[in-house]
């Protein structure tokens, strides 16, 4: 009897648990919200999303938003984009913003931009409200050798058609910097750049620097121009210093060669003196041999000795007279 008395309570508990599980697995509240917003979504579609591991509110809420904005977006498109790892809510917001601004943007292109890693909503906003990119100081050298530094402000608008595969802001800054450097380098004097800085922006704009990028350059304005160093004078000074060092090195080389040649001449003189000494050593032997063989007589030998003595005496007198002259000059 006790079990039969508790049976109604057990049945009620089972029904409550089943309803809780049903409402947990099937987003009935979300289904009711969709129907109230005029979006026809079957309950079986929501169950299928659960089975496909799709969070229903990540798809249904953007779908309701798109429907209220008057966009023709299918639930299968949103679900496939979610499964591909995209941000469904951001794509729908971008489509609504583009629709309000009369910008042509299809769901496929918006989804492709989102999957490419770019913020499609920010791109649409930039297309409506252009962005200003400020470059750092870009240095260029005029023909007269004076360094000119210029800072540019680039007004760009997102080009939605080239967002996928187009280059980013870094490419725009690099190309503008290249154009500024070439324009300054083509100026005859730095004064012309200072007098007419807008010539830089005109020259840069004519080069079509936004080709292949995700942006469209609207204007390039020179925000600031400054004078740097006299690079031409610095280069000439460095060249003169280098020439001086080369000349000094060559002079040192010539001096070393002269010293080496002088030492070589000293060595040669010593060699010649050694040969003279050697030849003088042979003289007594030759005289003895001449006397022995009878080719030279005693009188001839005595005359030879007298001539040597006379020569020595004259050398001594010459040395004494030279010393006296030197002493007289010193006094």
């Amino acid at each position: 009897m006790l079990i039969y008395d508790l049976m109604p309570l057990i049945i009620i508990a089972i029904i409550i648990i089943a309803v809780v599980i049903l409402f947990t697995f099937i987003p009935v509240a979300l289904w009711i919200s969709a129907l109230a917003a005029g979006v026809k979504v079957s309950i079986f579609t929501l169950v299928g999303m659960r089975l496909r591991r799709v969070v229903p509110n990540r798809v249904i809420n953007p779908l309701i938003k798109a429907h209220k904005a008057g966009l023709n977006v299918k639930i299968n498109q949103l679900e496939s984009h979610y499964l591909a790892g995209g941000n469904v809510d951001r794509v729908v917001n971008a489509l609504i913003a583009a629709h309000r601004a009369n910008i042509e943007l299809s769901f496929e292109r918006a989804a492709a931009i989102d999957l490419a890693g770019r913020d499609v909503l920010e791109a649409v906003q930039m297309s409506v409200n252009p962005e200003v990119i400020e470059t750092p100081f870009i240095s260029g050298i005029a023909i007269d050798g004076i360094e000119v530094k210029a800072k540019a402000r680039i007004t760009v608008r997102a080009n939605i058609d080239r967002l996928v595969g187009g280059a980013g802001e870094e490419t725009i800054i690099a190309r503008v910097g290249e154009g500024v450097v070439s324009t300054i380098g083509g100026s005859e004097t730095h004064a012309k750049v200072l007098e007419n800085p807008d010539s830089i922006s005109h020259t840069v704009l004519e080069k079509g620097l936004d080709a292949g990028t995700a942006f469209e350059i609207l204007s390039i304005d020179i925000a600031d121009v400054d004078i740097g160093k006299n690079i031409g004078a610095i280069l000439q000074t460095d060249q003169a210093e280098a020439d001086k060092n080369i000349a000094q090195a060559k002079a040192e080389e010539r001096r070393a060669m002269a010293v080496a040649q002088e030492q070589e001449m000293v060595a040669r003189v010593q060699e010649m003196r050694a040969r003279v000494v050697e030849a003088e050593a042979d003289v007594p032997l030759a005289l003895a041999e001449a006397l022995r063989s009878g080719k030279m007589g005693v009188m001839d030998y005595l005359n030879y000795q007298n001539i040597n003595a006379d020569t020595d005496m004259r050398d001594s007198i010459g040395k004494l007279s030279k010393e006296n002259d030197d002493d007289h000059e010193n006094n």
Side-chain angles (χ1 to χ4, degrees):
M1 291 295 294
L2 185 60
I3 296 177
Y4 289 106
D5 293 337
L6 295 176
M7 187 62 67
L9 298 176
I10 295 173
I11 294 174
I12 293 173
I14 293 174
I15 293 173
I16 293 173
I17 293 173
V19 170
V20 170
I21 294 175
L22 179 64
F23 275 83
T24 302
F25 187 76
I26 301 174
V28 178
L30 187 63
W31 175 66
I32 295 173
S33 298
L35 292 179
V39 178
K40 296 181 180 180
V41 180
S42 66
I43 196 70
F44 298 102
T45 302
L46 298 178
V47 173
M49 288 183 183
R50 289 289 192 187
L51 296 176
R52 289 188 293 270
R53 298 181 180 276
V54 175
V55 180
N57 60 353
R58 298 286 182 87
V59 175
I60 300 302
N61 288 333
L63 182 63
I64 295 172
K65 191 188 304 183
H67 178 75
K68 288 299 182 181
L71 299 178
N72 186 18
V73 179
K74 305 298 182 183
I75 189 172
N76 291 332
Q77 293 176 320
L78 300 180
E79 187 176 353
S80 63
H81 185 64
Y82 177 86
L83 291 173
N87 191 323
V88 177
D89 191 62
R90 186 166 54 191
V91 169
V92 171
N93 289 337
L95 291 174
I96 295 173
H99 180 69
R100 293 288 187 269
N102 292 325
I103 298 175
E104 185 177 353
L105 178 64
S106 63
F107 177 83
E108 288 75 14
R109 181 170 294 277
I113 294 171
D114 184 64
L115 292 177
R118 294 184 180 272
D119 192 333
V120 61
L121 179 58
E122 182 181 351
V124 173
Q125 292 172 348
M126 188 184 297
S127 181
V128 176
N129 186 19
E131 179 183 352
V132 176
I133 303 173
E134 185 169 322
T135 67
F137 270 108
I138 302 168
S139 177
I141 311 297
I143 295 177
D144 59 356
I146 305 298
E147 180 187 19
V148 180
K149 300 178 181 179
K151 180 185 290 186
R153 287 193 178 98
I154 314 164
T155 304
V156 296
R157 180 172 59 194
N159 191 331
I160 296 178
D161 294 334
R162 294 202 301 256
L163 277 176
V164 178
E169 294 183 6
E170 294 81 5
T171 303
I172 292 288
I173 295 174
R175 290 181 180 180
V176 170
E178 180 184 354
V180 170
V181 170
S182 63
T183 304
I184 296 175
S187 301
E188 294 182 359
T189 62
H190 67 284
K192 289 188 176 181
V193 180
L194 296 177
E195 292 173 0
N196 193 15
D198 58 341
S199 62
I200 299 176
S201 58
H202 292 161
T203 305
V204 174
L205 278 174
E206 291 174 356
K207 294 185 177 181
L209 302 180
D210 54 3
T213 66
F215 303 97
E216 178 185 354
I217 297 179
L218 300 179
S219 66
I220 299 176
D221 303 308
I222 303 302
D224 191 9
V225 179
D226 195 6
I227 297 297
K229 301 178 181 179
N230 191 338
I231 304 298
I234 294 175
L235 293 176
Q236 290 178 359
T237 303
D238 293 342
Q239 185 63 42
E241 184 69 21
D243 293 340
K244 185 191 76 171
N245 294 334
I246 293 173
Q248 289 179 347
K250 290 183 178 179
E252 183 65 23
E253 182 182 359
R254 288 194 297 269
R255 189 191 69 81
M257 291 179 64
V259 171
Q261 188 174 6
E262 180 184 2
Q263 295 297 325
E264 185 179 354
M265 296 303 294
V266 170
R268 288 184 181 180
V269 170
Q270 294 296 332
E271 183 181 358
M272 293 299 178
R273 288 179 179 176
R275 290 181 181 179
V276 170
V277 172
E278 184 180 359
E280 289 177 350
D282 292 337
V283 171
L285 298 176
L287 291 174
E289 181 64 26
L291 290 172
R292 190 180 300 112
S293 61
K295 294 181 179 180
M296 183 177 181
V298 176
M299 295 304 296
D300 295 331
Y301 179 72
L302 292 176
N303 290 331
Y304 171 74
Q305 292 293 333
N306 290 331
I307 292 171
N308 284 338
D310 185 51
T311 302
D312 292 338
M313 181 181 66
R314 290 181 179 180
D315 289 340
S316 299
I317 293 171
K319 290 180 180 179
L320 289 174
S321 61
K322 184 177 181 181
E323 290 177 356
N324 292 330
D325 292 339
D326 293 339
D327 293 337
H328 180 72
E329 289 178 357
N330 292 332
N331 294 330

